[in-house]
Amino acid sequence: MTTRQRLALTPEVDAFRQQFEALSADADALVSPVSDAQFTWRPSPDVWSIAHCIDHLNATARTYLPSLDESIADAIRRGMYAEGPFEYNWIGRVFVWSLEPPPRFKTRAPAAFLPAPSRSRAEIMAAFHGYQVQFVDRLRQASGLDLARARVTSPVARWLRIPLGSGFALTVAHERRHLWQAKQLTSRPEFPG
């Protein structure tokens, strides 16, 4: 990507882009040194493996991207343009805060966001990288939109609408949380060698 393309993004959108690219690199740094057995290892049936954590992010992206598409299209139709910086309402800020690692409380993932029972490491990682590219593409589409006025609807609770910028912030916080969760597995004493 050229510097000119990066400069075309508004500063806030470019900051989100950098976070998605960093998350992609973090996932590679986490997964590259582990074996397939370590990738799928679970300390107990109620704890996710590294594979589960990353595939959960894939399931979330697959479900959430259409909501981002609707939000971006609606904001464009309504002419909701602004450069920022933006201030977000307390609901969006609380959701983002609640997802940052380390987790403040444990929640159950909705059925739509559960990882697949078994997928290959190559499949999971290819999907993860593909979704990171798709999030960056949505950022490019959203650049120049009013990220505080445009709203994105939760795919789980249709009544919940948060600012589009909070939606991107929520996504990166959620990804950081589950990559942190996966990383914690590697420091457990019983983690296979």
Side-chain angles (χ1 to χ4, degrees):
M1 175 175 299
T2 67
T3 304
R4 174 172 280 178
Q5 287 172 313
R6 287 188 179 169
L7 291 176
L9 299 177
T10 61
E12 193 164 335
V13 167
D14 195 50
F16 284 130
R17 178 198 56 79
Q18 291 172 30
Q19 291 177 67
F20 279 111
E21 289 176 0
L23 286 160
S24 192
D26 291 347
D28 285 340
L30 171 66
V31 171
S32 294
V34 301
S35 67
D36 287 345
Q38 291 170 322
F39 186 66
T40 58
W41 177 79
R42 301 170 76 174
S44 66
D46 62 330
V47 175
W48 282 352
S49 65
I50 294 170
H52 286 127
C53 291
I54 296 173
D55 204 34
H56 163 67
L57 297 176
N58 294 340
T60 303
R62 190 170 38 256
T63 306
Y64 194 52
L65 281 162
S67 294
L68 288 174
D69 290 340
E70 288 173 23
S71 175
I72 293 165
D74 182 59
I76 291 169
R77 267 193 310 277
R78 296 174 63 194
M80 297 175 126
Y81 296 100
E83 288 287 318
F86 302 103
E87 287 192 32
Y88 301 109
N89 64 26
W90 67 271
I91 295 172
R93 290 193 313 268
V94 166
F95 274 111
V96 171
W97 171 84
S98 72
L99 285 178
E100 287 289 355
R104 286 154 181 85
F105 50 88
K106 193 173 180 177
T107 59
R108 289 188 157 260
F113 296 163
L114 291 175
S118 71
R119 288 180 125 163
S120 75
R121 175 183 178 145
E123 253 184 310
I124 290 170
M125 293 310 293
F128 180 77
H129 290 299
Y131 287 126
Q132 299 312 290
V133 169
Q134 289 185 52
F135 280 124
V136 170
D137 179 59
R138 287 353 180 253
L139 287 168
R140 283 188 173 76
Q141 294 173 34
S143 190
L145 293 176
D146 188 327
L147 300 180
R149 284 183 41 223
R151 294 283 187 260
V152 62
T153 302
S154 166
V156 176
R158 300 297 295 169
W159 54 268
L160 180 61
R161 293 175 47 83
I162 62 172
L164 179 58
S166 295
F168 286 119
L170 189 76
T171 302
V172 294
H174 182 246
E175 290 191 358
R176 277 193 290 268
R177 175 186 183 129
H178 287 290
L179 290 177
W180 178 89
Q181 176 185 1
K183 177 72 174 160
Q184 298 312 297
L185 291 169
T186 66
S187 58
R188 291 179 79 126
E190 67 273 32
F191 188 68

